[in-house]
Amino acid sequence: MSTAPCEIPAPMTAAGLRALAARTPETPPTALAAPQTAAGVLPPVAAGASCDVPGRFSFVQIQQWAADTRIDGERATSNVVVFQHRHWRADNGSGRAVSLRHPPGPQPAIDEIYPPGTLDGTIGPIAVDSAGLRAQITSISPPFLGPSAVLDAIAGLTSWRTPDREARTAILTLLSHTNGLTFHPAVRDRAGRTGAGVSATGDDGTTRGLLILHPSTGEVLAYERAHFTPSKRGHTRTGDVEDYLLFSVHTRTSTTNTP
């Protein structure tokens, strides 16, 4: 396993977040390659990553695009809100969250400190065995919610935690053995990185969850939740992204003042 420190991107400024929002006001759902078996797409064991380093806190940096839909009478309008989130989380459930958004809204920036036990303390670190990980997933997304909820739960877990190599292997194993998932090679995220795609549809094909993983380390690169309009005769099926998470770094650090 590599112990070389990874490069941590600098936090975005309000101007940088505004420019990012201008470049991506509306982006269609990610195009997917033809499906293959899990064995043809996912590595059986996660490789070491440059960010596999020791530290008290998991540190995760995320860019998020979220559809903000508002209903006025019988008319619905939707705008894309762009966020940057920086999350620190210790295994005792303490940590810090710093968020910036555009358009600014009532609270353009948030900086909160969390005492021990307040950040999903009962869940703890990501389990390194499939049975333990499945129990964590079930506690977040019960099985009746379907396979897409498994992807949603993994994205939620890794939004605050940095899984080590064993935990990433457990995630890969669980995905490989979960019914209802579809596997796609060479899926690009919004940073232009190419990864292994894992998707699941629900609600008669009108919703789709998509997890994009690094093809060798198993790190979560991105998560997308999209809604599709059923196709009609002579019309192309269209879709809209409801939520998109782009993970720019997963690492560990000893301080909540990470640059």
Side-chain angles (χ1 to χ4, degrees):
M1 181 183 296
S2 172
T3 58
C6 68
E7 181 178 351
I8 298 176
M12 297 186 73
T13 63
L17 197 62
R18 183 171 63 250
L20 178 63
R23 292 198 304 270
T24 55
E26 294 182 7
T27 303
T30 302
L32 299 179
Q36 295 184 6
T37 63
V41 175
L42 299 181
V45 177
S50 63
C51 292
D52 288 339
V53 297
R56 181 186 172 196
F57 297 94
S58 289
F59 175 67
V60 188
Q61 184 164 299
I62 307 166
Q63 277 75 53
Q64 177 184 19
W65 292 258
D68 180 19
T69 302
R70 301 184 181 185
I71 299 177
D72 185 7
E74 296 182 355
R75 183 180 180 184
T77 58
S78 183
N79 297 302
V80 176
V81 181
V82 182
F83 299 86
Q84 179 185 250
H85 305 294
R86 289 162 61 83
H87 294 160
W88 295 259
R89 185 190 187 282
D91 289 344
N92 66 357
S94 65
R96 180 187 180 196
V98 178
S99 295
L100 185 69
R101 63 165 283 169
H102 181 82
Q107 288 185 293
I110 297 173
D111 190 342
E112 295 182 336
I113 301 295
Y114 295 90
T118 55
L119 288 174
D120 299 327
T122 58
I123 295 177
I126 295 176
V128 299
D129 63 287
S130 293
L133 178 59
R134 190 170 291 280
Q136 290 179 330
I137 295 296
T138 299
S139 71
I140 300 171
S141 300
F144 70 84
L145 295 176
S148 60
V150 174
L151 305 183
D152 188 75
I154 290 174
L157 282 171
T158 56
S159 290
W160 283 91
R161 298 164 178 81
T162 297
D164 60 17
R165 186 179 182 182
E166 290 183 313
R168 295 197 304 273
T169 297
I171 290 173
L172 293 170
T173 302
L174 182 143
L175 292 172
S176 297
H177 294 89
T178 298
N179 294 329
L181 298 180
T182 305
F183 304 91
H184 313 268
V187 179
R188 294 187 66 185
D189 68 13
R190 291 191 180 183
R193 301 172 298 188
T194 300
V198 185
S199 71
T201 58
D203 301 321
D204 297 324
T206 60
T207 61
R208 187 190 75 187
L210 170 65
L211 199 65
I212 304 176
L213 307 174
H214 190 284
S216 62
T217 67
E219 294 171 277
V220 178
L221 301 180
Y223 175 67
E224 175 184 275
R225 187 167 60 247
H227 181 272
F228 292 88
T229 302
S231 59
K232 298 179 181 179
R233 190 181 301 243
H235 294 278
T236 302
R237 188 169 180 242
T238 59
D240 297 294
V241 175
E242 297 177 347
D243 198 27
Y244 193 102
L245 302 176
L246 182 71
F247 296 87
S248 55
V249 69
H250 272 108
T251 190
R252 297 192 71 88
T253 179
S254 297
T255 173
T256 56
N257 294 316
T258 304

